[in-house]
Amino acid sequence: MKQEIKETIVKKIEKKDLKELYQDSDIKLAADIIKNGGLVAFPTETVYGLGANALMEEAAKKIYAAKGRPSDNPLIVHISKVEDVWHIAKRIPHIFYELAKKFWPGPMTLVLKKKEIVPDATSGGLDTVAIRLPENNIARSLIEVAGVPVAAPSANTSGRPSPTRASHVFEDMNGRIDMIIDGGAVGIGVESTIVDLTGDIPTLLRPGAITLEMLIEICGEVEVDPAIENLLSNSEAPKAPGMKYKHYAPKADMRLIKGNENDVLDYLRSKIKKADHGIAILTIDEHLKVLHSEGKNNNIKILSLGSIMDMESIAHNLFDVLRQCDELGVSEIISESFDESGIGRAIMNRLKKAAGFNIIDV
Ligand code: AMP
Ligand code: MG
């Protein structure tokens, strides 16, 4: 579909209360745009989403055009109450209700068999649909007032790091969409956990803030799609079609270093000493002092992702730091690795994808 240039309305909303938001004139404006087939970017608790009427084929197609997204990569459909699931999904298993009760509203997306009413453009031609009930009140009031399920992938240009601030959305989407709601920086910072409930055993398709450990507590057994941890060969297909694309990728060449702490620090120190081109080092607060003590090399930019004692803050900062690397114009990025338990699994999944699974064991 041809991309038309349009003026993008930007509105800042500071209200937090759900009842007040239902009456807000900017929410009403955004809801009208969505109902009528336009595109609105809005904050959720995970990342900013790019919303369209999920039941309108033409509207869903506009999302792919604005993002430059491959048309086989389906969209997540956002709803404002659990009962809305019945309109768009069928053969709903019992485990769905248990997971929804525990983690909705929240950063968890569930894949179910879709009903005919969901157009192919929304489901990427699959016979399933991915559904989420977000917690963010701006998102929930927008969906409720629009009165339709809202298809909303992350509001970035396809392949770029997901947006965690309205300014990131503006960078990628200004002139391509009808409206951006600026609701401040998002809370979590990595996209929702995706769980496929269409097979016998629930399968984790994308790790997020609802961790594998939390899912196992409710489901007992959970399979993990191999695309999460490893680069698949061309003949293998991940179950979440989006997971096969190079993703979250900054412009520079990126690699991850893995190893025990001292070896990693030695490797980084030698890089700092020798760097003859722009390199960004992504590290943790705890390592800043020792890396800075190597002395000044103007080619090196040292950026902290946060404290190792607070993995949530690392998830929160991740995409913002990757975008900062683009702004710094470095040609190489070297990032530290993290333990893959809890939210660390989501952090490592995004870092590995950003690095194209380029990992150095030191
Ligand atoms: P985004 O909203 O940009 O984070 O992307 C949505 C993600 O959900 C992509 O990785 C999709 O491949 C995945 N997804 C959406 N619908 C389905 C579905 N029906 N089955 C499996 N994965 C899905
Ligand atoms: Mg995305």
Side-chain angles (χ1 to χ4, degrees), residues 104-301:
W104 274 1
M108 174 188 69
T109 296
L110 298 173
V111 176
L112 297 169
K113 287 281 178 204
K114 75 160 192 166
K115 281 191 174 163
E116 285 301 308
I117 192 172
V118 181
D120 275 346
T122 297
S123 67
L126 300 175
D127 64 353
T128 54
V129 59
I131 306 172
R132 181 160 96 87
L133 173 47
E135 184 172 25
N136 179 291
N137 280 352
I138 292 177
R140 283 172 72 186
S141 59
L142 175 59
I143 302 161
E144 179 70 23
V145 177
V148 291
V150 175
S154 50
N156 52 292
T157 303
S158 199
R160 289 210 73 200
S162 295
T164 55
R165 301 167 183 278
S167 60
H168 299 159
V169 180
F170 192 81
E171 252 169 56
D172 286 11
M173 292 296 155
N174 184 32
R176 303 178 143 255
I177 63 177
D178 299 289
M179 182 170 177
I180 298 171
I181 299 177
D182 179 352
V186 300
I188 294 171
V190 290
E191 307 87 340
S192 60
T193 304
I194 305 181
V195 187
D196 183 355
L197 299 181
T198 62
D200 292 337
I201 300 167
T203 305
L204 178 66
L205 304 187
R206 179 173 73 183
I210 303 298
T211 64
L212 179 63
E213 294 83 349
M214 291 154 84
L215 293 169
I216 288 172
E217 227 171 86
I218 304 296
C219 303
E221 197 180 355
V222 178
E223 283 182 354
V224 177
D225 191 45
I228 290 173
E229 262 130 54
N230 304 302
L231 186 59
L232 298 181
S233 70
N234 284 338
S235 58
E236 293 171 290
K239 290 196 184 119
M243 298 291 275
K244 74 173 172 277
Y245 295 106
K246 187 171 177 186
H247 218 140
Y248 319 122
K251 290 167 188 159
D253 260 345
M254 178 163 166
R255 68 204 82 231
L256 300 184
I257 42 166
K258 223 176 173 164
N260 77 47
E261 189 172 19
N262 286 333
D263 294 341
V264 166
L265 285 172
D266 282 346
Y267 178 91
L268 292 177
R269 281 200 202 98
S270 78
K271 274 283 178 185
I272 293 171
K273 252 188 225 134
K274 291 192 296 213
D276 56 4
H277 59 282
I279 302 179
I281 290 179
L282 310 191
T283 185
I284 51 175
D285 289 354
E286 287 80 358
H287 290 167
L288 280 177
K289 208 165 160 191
V290 28
L291 293 177
H292 280 303
S293 73
E294 269 318 300
K296 211 155 173 56
N297 176 340
N298 286 331
N299 288 317
I300 293 282
K301 312 283 175 203

Side-chain angles (χ1 to χ4, degrees), residues 31-101:
D32 273 339
I33 292 173
I34 287 188
K35 225 182 320 186
N36 294 315
L39 299 183
V40 177
F42 59 94
T44 81
E45 67 275 24
T46 57
V47 300
Y48 271 77
L50 178 55
N53 184 338
L55 302 183
M56 206 189 264
E57 176 104 30
E58 284 311 310
K61 280 187 179 158
K62 285 186 194 167
I63 289 182
Y64 292 88
K67 283 178 61 83
R69 182 176 175 111
S71 62
D72 67 347
N73 189 2
L75 310 174
I76 293 173
V77 177
H78 294 72
I79 56 176
S80 61
K81 47 190 178 310
V82 179
E83 306 87 90
D84 293 345
V85 163
W86 301 329
H87 298 301
I88 52 179
K90 59 185 178 188
R91 279 184 257 154
I92 301 170
H94 181 66
I95 192 68
F96 164 85
Y97 295 98
E98 288 183 44
L99 287 168
K101 192 167 156 211

